[in-house]
Amino acid sequence: MDSIFQKKLKKVFSPNSIAVIGASDSFEKLGYHVMKSLVLGGYRGCLYPVNPASERIWGLKAHRSILDIEKEVELAIIVVPAKKSLDVLFECGKKKVMGAVIISAGYKETEGDEGKYLEERMRELSEGLEIPIVGPNTFGFVNVTDKVNASFTYEFSLIKEGGTTIISQSGGFCHLIGFLAIEERMGVAKLVGLGNRVNLDFHHTVRYFLEEDSATKALVLYIEGMDEPRKLFNAISQSKAKKPIIAYKSAKNVKRDVASKFHTGSLAGNYKIWKGAFRQFGILEVADSEELIDIAKALEACPSMRGERVAVLSGQAGPGIIAADVLEKEGLKLANFSEVTQRKIDELLPPLAIRTNPVDMGPAWYSPKTILSILKVASDDENTDGILFLNMFASANLKLVKEMVRILRDLEPFNKPVIACLCAPPGIWDEEIKEIDGQKGIVVVPTPERAAKTLANLYRIGSTGR
C-alpha cells in the first residue's frame, strides 16, 4: 500500500483538478472558506464545487455529487460532517480520485467510541479504495509552489514562495508558523497538516518531499506524538536525498502526553528517546517557533557554515558582547582575524574603537560605506566561517540601512553566512530591511541572541552532512 500511495502523492499535492465536497456560499461554513482559498489563492486547475443544495457556488456550477462531474477529478477536499464522510469517500473511490483531504473533525481525537469507530472504518475503506488521505481533523495543506491552497485559510496564499516544506501534526501550529513566515519573510514550499493520519503519515510525506519534490530544499517536522516513530526514522535513513531536516517536538512531559492524545489521537512518547533519535539521524531539533523561523530563513538564503569561527561586527559594543556570550554558550568561537584583516580594519576605524573581534563599528556610524567595507573584509578572511552583523538604530545612523541597500546592489553575494540584526523603531528601516533580508547571503533576525543562535544552528546542520 505504501508504494501505491507514494506514486499518487504528486497528484495529491499538485492536482490538476479538485472537487470540494461540502462547498458553500455561506460564510458560516468551512466549505465557503475552502472555496475562497482556492479561488482567491490563484488555483490554476479545474475546480468543481459539490453541494446538492446549490446550483452555483463562488460563481461556479455546483454538482450534486462528485459522480456527477463529467471530467476527471484528481483531488477531493471533503468538508462534510463526520457521519457523512464515509459515504462521500466511497463515491470518491468510484470516481477514482488520486487522493483526498478530509478537513472534517469528530474521529479518534474525540473522547467517545463513535469517532474511533468512524476513523477505523475510514481506514479500512480508504485502503480498499487505495486513496491516500490527508487528515481527517486537519486544516488541509498549502502548496505555495503551485498555488494550491487546499485549506480553509486563504491568508496562507500570502506566504512567500521558498524552499522549506513544513509537515505538521497540528493545524494550529501551521497557522502559527504560517503567519510568522509572512511577518518574517520566510519562504515556504509546502505547508501540510497531517491531522489524525488515518493512512498518510509522517514517513510517507517525508519520503515524498525528500525524494520527489524538487521545490523542497529543507524539511521542518512539527511532532506531538506518533504511534510508529521507527517508520519515520527508517524513511529518513533510507532516503538518498540529504536535505536538511529540522524538528520541533512538543508534548515533552506526561501531562502533555495526555493532551497530545486528545489532540491528534497519538501519545507523545518518551522525549529522551526522541531527542536521541533526532541526534542519531542528523535532525536539528529547535526549541521554539522563532528558532525554527530563523534557521529556515538562513538555510534558504545563506551559504553553508563550514567551521565554528565567527566575526562579530557591531555598531554598538553591548549587542556585540551579548552575541559573543551566546556564541560561546552554543559552542562557537570568536575568530582571530588574520594580520591582513586586522590591519585593514585598523585602517577603517580610529583607535578610539575596539577593533579586534568583536569589532565596535560605532565610530563609522556616519559612513555606511566604511561599515560595509568592514563586513567585506571580515567575510573575506580565511580565519572566519560566519559573520554576525549587528546595528541598532540611533538618530545619528538614520541613513545607514538605506545606504546599505544601495551599496549592496553592486556587491557580489557573501561567500559566508551573514546573520544581521538591524533593530529600529517601527517605520524607520522597515522597507530597507525587507530589501536586504534574504539577499546576498544575508538574513535579518530581530535580536543579537537569535542571530548568534542561528549561526550555531547553521554550523550544526552543516556538521550532520545533510
Side-chain angles (χ1 to χ4, degrees):
M1 188 60 66
D2 282 4
S3 61
I4 294 173
F5 281 6
Q6 288 298 136
K7 291 177 182 175
K8 291 186 173 183
L9 290 187
K10 174 70 175 176
K11 295 295 186 183
V12 172
F13 291 112
S14 301
N16 293 310
S17 53
I18 298 175
V20 179
I21 304 171
S24 176
D25 265 338
S26 169
F27 184 87
E28 307 300 323
K29 303 288 187 182
L30 279 180
Y32 168 94
H33 299 280
V34 173
M35 288 296 297
K36 177 182 177 182
S37 297
L38 289 163
V39 174
L40 300 187
Y43 177 61
R44 296 182 288 242
C46 298
L47 180 58
Y48 305 106
V50 176
N51 189 327
S54 302
E55 294 187 355
R56 300 190 72 81
I57 295 174
W58 275 84
L60 300 172
K61 177 186 176 183
H63 300 264
R64 294 184 58 80
S65 157
I66 190 171
L67 296 176
D68 291 340
I69 300 170
E70 294 179 355
K71 296 186 177 178
E72 181 184 50
V73 175
E74 292 184 343
L75 177 69
I77 303 176
I78 299 173
V79 205
V80 300
K83 290 182 179 179
K84 295 183 178 178
S85 60
L86 297 183
D87 291 339
V88 168
L89 186 61
F90 182 73
E91 291 184 345
C92 289
K94 291 180 70 175
K95 187 63 181 174
K96 299 190 181 303
V97 301
M98 303 300 283
V101 176
I102 300 184
I103 290 176
S104 315
Y107 300 92
K108 73 174 183 179
E109 78 280 3
T110 59
E111 294 189 60
D113 292 333
E114 185 179 6
K116 296 180 181 64
Y117 171 78
L118 280 174
E119 183 157 327
E120 189 53 35
R121 286 285 299 118
M122 179 182 290
R123 184 191 311 280
E124 294 170 359
L125 182 60
S126 60
E127 291 184 356
L129 298 171
E130 299 180 349
I131 298 177
I133 293 174
V134 179
N137 184 29
T138 176
F139 87 102
F141 73 83
V142 186
N143 176 345
V144 181
T145 316
D146 297 323
K147 295 186 181 300
V148 184
N149 186 343
S151 81
F152 51 71
T153 303
Y154 154 73
E155 286 72 14
F156 285 136
S157 303
L158 305 177
I159 296 175
K160 183 176 94 173
E161 182 179 343
T164 301
T165 285
I166 302 162
I167 304 172
S168 169
Q169 205 165 343
S170 162
F173 177 78
C174 288
H175 283 72
L176 169 67
I177 212 70
F179 301 150
L180 283 174
I182 294 171
E183 183 178 327
E184 301 212 26
R185 302 169 294 279
M186 169 188 163
V188 173
K190 316 290 186 300
L191 180 63
V192 181
L194 292 178
N196 288 7
R197 296 160 291 132
V198 64
N199 66 16
L200 196 63
D201 212 326
F202 277 98
H203 62 280
H204 300 104
T205 47
V206 163
R207 183 177 300 156
Y208 171 73
F209 288 113
L210 281 178
E211 297 183 351
E212 304 295 335
D213 186 47
S214 60
T216 296
K217 307 301 181 187
L219 268 183
V220 169
L221 310 178
Y222 171 76
I223 300 169
E224 292 177 358
M226 204 177 295
D227 298 324
E228 299 179 284
R230 186 177 297 277
K231 288 185 177 180
L232 166 64
F233 295 110
N234 284 343
I236 291 170
S237 65
Q238 291 167 6
S239 174
K240 295 179 181 177
K242 300 302 178 187
K243 299 176 183 177
I245 302 176
I246 303 160
Y248 184 2
K249 176 74 177 71
S250 65
K252 297 177 183 176
N253 62 35
V254 176
K255 289 185 178 178
R256 306 297 190 277
D257 209 11
V258 175
S260 171
K261 177 70 174 175
F262 281 114
H263 186 194
T264 59
S266 293
L267 288 169
N270 187 316
Y271 173 61
K272 289 183 179 177
I273 296 176
W274 278 100
K275 195 173 182 67
F278 291 147
R279 190 181 303 116
Q280 179 182 346
F281 289 92
I283 299 170
L284 176 73
E285 184 186 7
V286 294
D288 54 49
S289 303
E290 293 173 341
E291 188 180 351
L292 189 162
I293 291 275
D294 294 344
I295 184 59
K297 287 175 60 177
L299 281 171
E300 173 123 20
C302 295
S304 300
M305 176 99 171
R306 302 193 181 281
E308 56 191 8
R309 304 164 302 174
V310 180
V312 179
L313 314 176
S314 182
Q316 296 90 351
I321 295 170
I322 290 170
D325 283 347
V326 177
L327 287 176
E328 183 179 10
K329 179 183 174 185
E330 296 294 330
L332 299 185
K333 298 176 180 176
L334 288 175
N336 293 315
F337 293 141
S338 69
E339 291 183 9
V340 173
T341 297
Q342 191 60 65
R343 186 166 61 249
K344 289 180 178 177
I345 292 176
D346 290 348
E347 292 170 357
L348 289 164
L349 288 173
L352 57 90
I354 299 172
R355 297 181 290 186
T356 53
N357 195 14
V359 179
D360 178 2
M361 303 184 296
W365 272 8
Y366 297 100
S367 176
K369 183 179 179 181
T370 299
I371 286 180
L372 281 173
S373 295
I374 296 170
L375 174 57
K376 183 72 168 58
V377 166
S379 176
D380 288 343
D381 190 334
E382 62 183 9
N383 290 343
T384 65
D385 300 301
I387 313 291
L388 291 182
F389 186 70
L390 315 171
N391 285 281
M392 311 303 117
F393 168 80
S395 294
N397 66 5
L398 174 65
K399 298 180 181 177
L400 170 63
V401 180
K402 186 173 184 177
E403 285 298 304
M404 278 182 60
V405 171
R406 186 182 63 78
I407 296 170
L408 281 170
R409 287 182 185 136
D410 297 326
L411 292 182
E412 293 294 319
F414 292 98
N415 59 5
K416 294 167 186 171
V418 178
I419 311 298
C421 171
L422 305 169
C423 184
I428 293 185
W429 287 345
D430 295 355
E431 295 306 313
E432 290 81 5
I433 288 174
K434 289 178 185 175
E435 286 198 52
I436 293 172
D437 195 13
Q439 303 298 318
K440 308 281 186 177
I442 303 173
V443 159
V444 182
V445 301
T447 68
E449 295 92 333
R450 286 173 62 175
K453 183 80 176 181
T454 303
L455 263 190
N457 281 336
L458 264 183
Y459 176 60
R460 289 182 184 120
I461 283 186
S463 301
T464 68
R466 300 195 72 88

